[in-house]
Amino acid sequence: MNLIVFEQCNCRKQTRPLTSYAVLMGCLIKKPRDALILKQGGIIENQQTDEGVAMFFDQVRSCAHLDYDGYHLAPVLGDVKKCWASKRQKCRAKWQKYREKLCHDYFSSPWAIISFFAAILLLFLTATQSVYGVLGYYKQAN
């Protein structure tokens, strides 16, 4: 972290290799699971926990000032962002497809929606009645 701060203060904008590496790693490591995958692959080596690594790179990424268009890892970061965007878009498309199918097949009329909420209410009331029945049995036993 100190080297990155030193680099931010003393280096020219185009040559910030530590900052650009830390920002790239911050974009790759979003969760502790990501740090574990990189550790198992031999990409990073550390003595911290995976949560600590994820927090460190998140802090570095949020605090570092970097010109994203002019640094030497810009193409790699662009590929990472494209990969994340395509995965996010596929996931959203899949859920949107399922939601549309659900709405089309099961909730096409207002009566279907009303009956769905009525069924949820009846399940809740049944569960409540069961809990009170069990509690009443144990209170009688005592």
Side-chain angles (χ1 to χ4, degrees):
M1 187 72 134
N2 291 336
L3 286 174
I4 293 172
V5 171
F6 177 75
E7 188 180 63
Q8 290 280 315
C9 294
N10 294 326
C11 289
R12 295 186 320 239
K13 285 188 177 184
Q14 286 80 18
T15 59
R16 292 185 177 167
L18 290 175
T19 304
S20 61
Y21 174 76
V23 168
L24 176 67
M25 294 301 288
C27 289
L28 289 175
I29 300 173
K30 300 284 186 191
K31 297 179 182 176
R33 183 175 174 266
D34 300 331
L36 177 66
I37 291 170
L38 292 176
K39 192 187 301 184
Q40 289 173 344
I43 296 171
I44 58 173
E45 294 180 7
N46 63 356
Q47 301 298 322
Q48 291 184 350
T49 63
D50 298 331
E51 292 85 10
V53 172
M55 284 180 27
F56 171 75
F57 281 114
D58 186 50
Q59 289 174 351
V60 168
R61 184 177 50 86
S62 64
C63 295
H65 175 70
L66 189 64
D67 179 23
Y68 287 98
D69 297 327
Y71 81 108
H72 67 283
L73 290 177
V76 176
L77 183 62
D79 291 342
V80 169
K81 286 184 178 182
K82 284 179 190 174
C83 179
W84 279 107
S86 69
K87 287 187 180 195
R88 192 176 314 124
Q89 186 178 12
K90 286 179 184 176
C91 184
R92 284 183 184 161
K94 182 189 279 188
W95 281 106
Q96 187 176 9
K97 182 178 77 172
Y98 290 143
R99 190 176 138 254
E100 288 174 0
K101 181 172 174 48
L102 179 74
C103 289
H104 181 268
D105 292 347
Y106 298 106
F107 298 119
S108 57
S109 72
W111 290 109
I113 296 170
I114 292 170
S115 64
F116 173 75
F117 285 115
I120 295 293
L121 178 67
L122 288 174
L123 282 173
F124 174 73
L125 291 174
T126 303
T128 305
Q129 182 182 8
S130 299
V131 168
Y132 279 111
V134 170
L135 289 176
Y137 175 77
Y138 282 114
K139 283 189 177 184
Q140 285 179 357
N142 291 333

